[in-house]
Amino acid sequence: MAAIERRFPRFRDLAPLIRFRRPRLNRTAQRLDAALTVEDLRHLAKRRTPKAAFDYTDGAAEDEISLARARQAFRDIEFHPAILRDVSSVDTSREVLGAPVALPFAIAPTGFTRLMHTAGELAGVRAAQCAGIPFSLSTLGTASIEDVAEAAPDARRWFQLYMWRDRDRSMALLKRAADAGYDTVLATVDCPVAGARRRDSRNGMAIPPALTLRTIADAAVHPRWWFDLLTTEPLAFASLDRWSGTVAHYMDTMFDPSLTFDDLAWVKSQWPGRFVVKGIQTVADARAVVDLGVDGIVLSNHGGRQLDRAPVPFALLPEVAREVGRDTEILLDTGIMSGADIVAAIALGARCTLIGRAYLYGLMAGGQAGVHRVIDILGEQIRRTMRLLGVSELAELSPQHISRLGPHR
């Protein structure tokens, strides 16, 4: 065997192979650029945020079985790509609830949002405006209806309504939302009482945050978060003048467990825009609310945060799509952590999806820049998945593109 001839390397040969990255002084931007997935952002969020705030986002009800099953359902899919299709150009836009969106997802309504990061809902709505996707403001939001509208006047804004025992206050919120240019209401119907969120109970989760020996110790390793919290506007639910208790106590005190389909029809009659019912978990209920003439439904088990062991929305989607898909628009949330998850939901009949935890992971990881990053990651993953499936526009996606494996097949 001939010996390998060796020589000293020459700089002109090495130079094209060596490219040093330009250093970035903004450490947050550097960390966000290095995040390639929502899970990467989750890890960043966990490091940068106190335990109580992170667990409020990350956790679910009781043993958190519903959330685990929802995520597993997305993992248990098999894609069926078509080859030799022209995917040089991919269109991720479509019309949702009467207006165009640039990507097939919206930011879900989330409570306590300024506790995750002081930029809160204002960061979310500004990022949504830039991306051309809708932003949903929660009844439990920590920015007011009017402030969110003023922060992003060109954004597509939805308002999520919990029905209170005091119907006049509920209707006053709807009027404020209509006056501020919100075009859609998401009437949430899966919260007659609060779910048992054990992480929050153990952490003493409340507004304002309760200072205990544990939270004081936590402050030592998250000084920036505490500085931001203590030097900005006091944290409060924007729809209330003052509340000094836990979320669960608030829900049990104010929310109406006697709400019926007749009440829902009455609320719908009070709203001038698009009316969507969020929290559908059975085919029968989907049909019942569609027969009321709603514009859309959201298949959702509240991110696994209400009834543990509730149906998995993604597993329920094909049957609901067959039953009511021609009569209304179907949106879906719970368990979405990637653009591939969103593509799979569209293929099985969803018109659009909602992201809640994924959005909050980005917010905690880097404020508004972090929200931009999560939207960019999901958009890139959607486009790549479509190209690899041989699909150039969302309308081409169909159940033929995926199989469900495991217990949900």
Side-chain angles (χ1 to χ4, degrees), residues 147-186:
D147 285 348
V148 167
E150 184 179 351
D154 296 328
R156 178 124 185 251
R157 298 180 303 279
W158 298 349
F159 182 69
Q160 178 261 347
L161 178 71
Y162 290 117
M163 279 301 295
W164 297 353
R165 297 173 192 268
D166 186 340
R167 299 297 170 86
D168 289 340
R169 294 190 73 180
S170 297
M171 294 305 101
L173 285 178
L174 282 188
K175 184 178 186 309
R176 286 171 59 190
D179 291 345
Y182 290 68
D183 64 61
T184 298
V185 69
L186 306 177

Side-chain angles (χ1 to χ4, degrees), residues 4 14 38 43 51 99 117 127 132 163 208-209 245 280 285 307 317 325 336:
I4 297 176
L14 292 175
V38 173
H43 289 309
K51 179 176 174 56
H117 190 283
M163 279 301 295
I280 301 299
D285 281 346
L307 176 65
L317 175 59
I336 293 172

Side-chain angles (χ1 to χ4, degrees), residues 107-379:
I107 291 180
T110 61
F112 268 82
T113 312
R114 282 189 56 233
L115 191 65
M116 310 306 125
H117 190 283
T118 52
E121 289 90 354
L122 302 189
V125 73
R126 286 168 178 151
Q129 178 177 261
C130 290
I133 64 173
F135 174 85
S136 310
L137 177 64
S138 171
T139 298
L140 295 179
T142 48
S144 73
I145 292 168
E146 294 78 11
D147 285 348
V148 167
E150 184 179 351
D154 296 328
R156 178 124 185 251
R157 298 180 303 279
W158 298 349
F159 182 69
Q160 178 261 347
L161 178 71
Y162 290 117
M163 279 301 295
W164 297 353
R165 297 173 192 268
D166 186 340
R167 299 297 170 86
D168 289 340
R169 294 190 73 180
S170 297
M171 294 305 101
L173 285 178
L174 282 188
K175 184 178 186 309
R176 286 171 59 190
D179 291 345
Y182 290 68
D183 64 61
T184 298
V185 69
L186 306 177
T188 300
V189 296
D190 57 1
C191 298
V193 297
R197 302 173 192 174
R198 293 173 182 167
R199 291 203 217 182
D200 295 346
S201 297
R202 291 172 182 139
N203 291 329
M205 185 68 174
I207 279 196
L211 288 176
T212 64
L213 289 177
R214 176 183 293 179
T215 55
I216 291 172
D218 201 25
V221 293
H222 299 101
R224 176 61 183 270
W225 184 93
W226 283 100
F227 176 79
D228 287 343
L229 177 71
L230 297 174
T231 59
T232 55
E233 182 182 351
L235 193 63
F237 294 127
S239 58
L240 292 175
D241 295 329
R242 179 171 296 179
W243 183 259
S244 58
T246 65
V247 174
H249 186 208
Y250 172 40
M251 292 174 73
D252 288 340
T253 300
M254 300 199 69
F255 293 0
D256 189 353
S258 68
L259 195 68
T260 67
F261 284 97
D262 289 339
D263 297 313
L264 186 69
W266 178 79
V267 174
K268 178 181 178 296
S269 71
Q270 308 300 305
W271 175 251
R274 302 277 175 163
F275 192 85
V276 176
V277 180
K278 183 176 182 290
I280 301 299
Q281 299 174 69
T282 69
V283 177
D285 281 346
R287 171 47 65 190
V289 298
V290 169
D291 288 345
L292 291 177
V294 301
D295 299 292
I297 60 174
V298 183
L299 298 184
S300 169
N301 62 25
H302 216 95
R305 298 164 69 80
Q306 284 297 103
L307 176 65
D308 205 11
R309 300 176 178 84
V312 174
F314 180 64
L316 185 64
L317 175 59
E319 192 174 357
V320 172
R322 286 192 294 270
E323 175 66 24
V324 302
R326 294 176 180 172
D327 304 324
T328 197
E329 296 187 33
I330 302 172
L331 288 71
L332 180 136
D333 72 12
T334 306
I336 293 172
M337 289 287 283
S338 74
D341 298 342
I342 294 171
V343 169
I346 301 301
L348 287 186
R351 188 71 185 170
C352 183
T353 61
L354 301 177
I355 59 164
R357 284 184 179 88
Y359 146 62
L360 292 178
Y361 292 145
L363 181 67
M364 288 186 284
Q368 184 173 330
V371 183
H372 284 296
R373 184 63 184 140
V374 75
I375 293 172
D376 288 345
I377 288 172
L378 293 175

